[in-house]
Amino acid sequence: MPSVKSDVVDVVRFHPSDVTMGDEVYAGWRDAQLNDFPDQTPLDRASIQSLLENPPHGWTGEFYAATVDGRIAGAVLLFLPGLDNTHLAHVEGWVHVGSRRQGVGRALYERTLERLPELGRTTLIVRIHDRADIDPPAAGPRFAEAVGMSCAMTEVQRRQYLDEVDDGVFAAMLADCWERAEGYEVVRWTDGADGPTPEEHVDDLSQLLVRLDTDAPHGDLRIEAREPDPEAVRALDHRNRAAGIRLVHTGVRHVASGRIVAWTTISTLPSDRGHGQQQITVVDPGHRGRRLGTLAKLENLAYARRVEPGLRLVETCNADENAHMIAINETLGYRVHGRVHNFQKEI
Ligand SMILES: CC(C)(COP(=O)(O)OP(=O)(O)OC[C@H]1O[C@@H](n2cnc3c(N)ncnc32)[C@H](O)[C@@H]1OP(=O)(O)O)[C@@H](O)C(=O)NCCC(=O)NCCS
């Protein structure tokens, strides 16, 4: 069906404090999630509210809803970094299931393109999930191409199902990793829903976060590396805690220097503690090639299973060019589940 003209769509700004409007936007988002990703439990209303009220450290958020005949038909969320990457806007958008192919998405996109130059932003990035096993294929990538965005990087999403894990094989792999890891020890902690990040780790983690920015492939995305910022680690933890997100971490400490030189994390949402998301895996360049990445992931999986006894799967996304990380994941039994396309538009 061709798009109806976007002049029947009104786009209005909303603030998270408008609870009535927020409820309607949330209900449409939840239906869209259940329709587009039936294999995931959508985040609850309170957690979403908290994430909107607490953008990432130094960022601001602006939120717009599309209405047709007075009813909300979709929304777009603009997230704007303020301390670095100030040319960027990270955008998330969706259209309610019953309102698709009527020009609502296009109207939201056009409003976004009008607004971003007013905010001094020149580059828009949107991450679009695309499940591997659906027919017809997901609307998002086709919409993004139709409105003139281009894909700057594709990530492959993989899942590890824990009922398929052979504990004996993993124990042997871990023993093999430890053979090569003399002079290192692991540290474990949980934060977010469980409390703050231990202060003694914050400096090391802020350094490792920057390595992730500089060393993980970014394709053609116009993302600039940040400076190490301990406050960003504390603020991220605060944001996760407010939203009820639990993070299970394993760090690998170099005993001689006392520094954490490798780090990995699995997070779970309050809506489904059985579904883990692999968040971060990074090894400091001076300590690579010693299997510390695999060691940290194996140790963290064992720890996450103790912390979250109902954990049934762990999901991860890697740039399709990130050969080292993908090789580790495939050794650990991860299988392709879908893709995430990072579309970009220079304004
Ligand atoms: C992607 C999405 C926002 C599109 O919203 P929409 O209101 O249906 O889009 P529009 O009606 O404005 O479509 C504009 C053009 O995009 C293309 N398009 C949109 N959906 C499409 C689909 N399912 N298949 C092929 N092309 C599609 C078409 O070219 C369409 O123009 P046409 O209808 O005149 O042919 C909506 O499907 C959605 O919410 N998907 C899930 C969330 C998501 O992927 N968000 C990412 C947004 S970038």
Side-chain angles (χ1 to χ4, degrees), residues 76-340:
V76 67
L77 315 177
L78 316 182
F79 289 102
L80 310 158
L83 303 176
D84 49 63
N85 285 288
T86 51
H87 61 292
L88 282 184
H90 296 274
V91 174
E92 287 175 41
W94 69 93
V95 170
H96 295 190
V97 177
S99 302
R100 291 185 181 173
R101 295 310 286 277
Q102 298 170 36
V104 176
R106 201 182 280 278
L108 284 165
Y109 181 69
E110 282 166 5
R111 181 72 189 94
T112 302
L113 288 192
E114 266 169 36
R115 181 63 181 142
L116 291 184
E118 294 167 7
L119 295 163
R121 307 288 151 157
T122 56
T123 308
L124 170 167
I125 293 177
V126 54
R127 291 182 88 235
I128 303 182
H129 289 256
D130 187 5
R131 271 174 44 221
D133 55 350
I134 51 162
D135 186 30
R142 298 157 101 193
F143 168 82
E145 278 164 9
V147 297
M149 289 188 255
S150 52
C151 184
M153 182 178 72
T154 293
E155 297 164 73
V156 183
Q157 189 180 42
R158 289 178 172 77
R159 283 184 171 185
Q160 179 190 51
Y161 294 92
L162 300 188
D163 59 358
E164 295 175 0
V165 164
D166 183 329
D167 291 334
V169 171
F170 273 33
M173 279 167 65
L174 185 56
D176 187 43
C177 290
W178 275 116
E179 292 272 304
R180 302 177 181 215
E182 200 181 326
Y184 296 91
E185 62 186 8
V186 293
V187 285
R188 305 180 182 89
W189 71 99
T190 61
D191 57 23
D194 285 354
T197 309
E199 197 50 38
E200 74 261 31
H201 301 332
V202 166
D203 254 348
D204 290 346
L205 302 185
S206 67
Q207 308 276 347
L208 287 169
L209 266 184
V210 170
R211 292 268 33 130
L212 201 62
D213 276 7
T214 41
D215 300 355
H218 286 107
D220 294 326
L221 287 171
R222 286 201 51 223
I223 295 179
E224 289 161 9
R226 295 167 287 176
E227 289 298 314
D229 180 2
E231 203 42 53
V233 174
R234 295 185 192 103
L236 180 62
D237 172 62
H238 170 79
R239 184 170 197 247
N240 287 326
R241 185 158 56 259
I245 299 170
R246 173 176 295 124
L247 293 105
V248 179
H249 304 267
T250 294
V252 181
R253 183 152 51 203
H254 180 234
V255 177
S257 64
R259 314 279 326 218
I260 295 178
V261 295
W263 174 31
T264 192
T265 301
I266 292 172
S267 67
T268 60
L269 303 176
S271 47
D272 183 1
R273 297 283 183 207
H275 184 151
Q277 293 284 349
Q278 180 66 54
Q279 293 291 352
I280 286 165
T281 303
V282 59
V283 180
D284 180 89
H287 299 266
R288 290 185 188 158
R290 299 189 174 109
R291 295 265 176 94
L292 297 183
T294 312
L295 184 152
K297 287 193 85 160
L298 285 165
E299 288 282 4
N300 201 43
L301 180 64
Y303 179 41
R305 293 175 94 176
R306 293 200 295 277
V307 174
E308 305 279 14
L311 193 66
R312 54 180 201 287
L313 70 94
V314 182
E315 194 168 285
T316 188
C317 272
N318 307 112
D320 53 6
E321 64 206 89
N322 196 346
H324 292 308
M325 197 67 252
I326 290 169
I328 292 177
N329 288 336
E330 291 194 334
T331 312
L332 298 178
Y334 278 86
R335 289 193 267 120
V336 172
H337 180 69
R339 292 194 153 63
V340 180

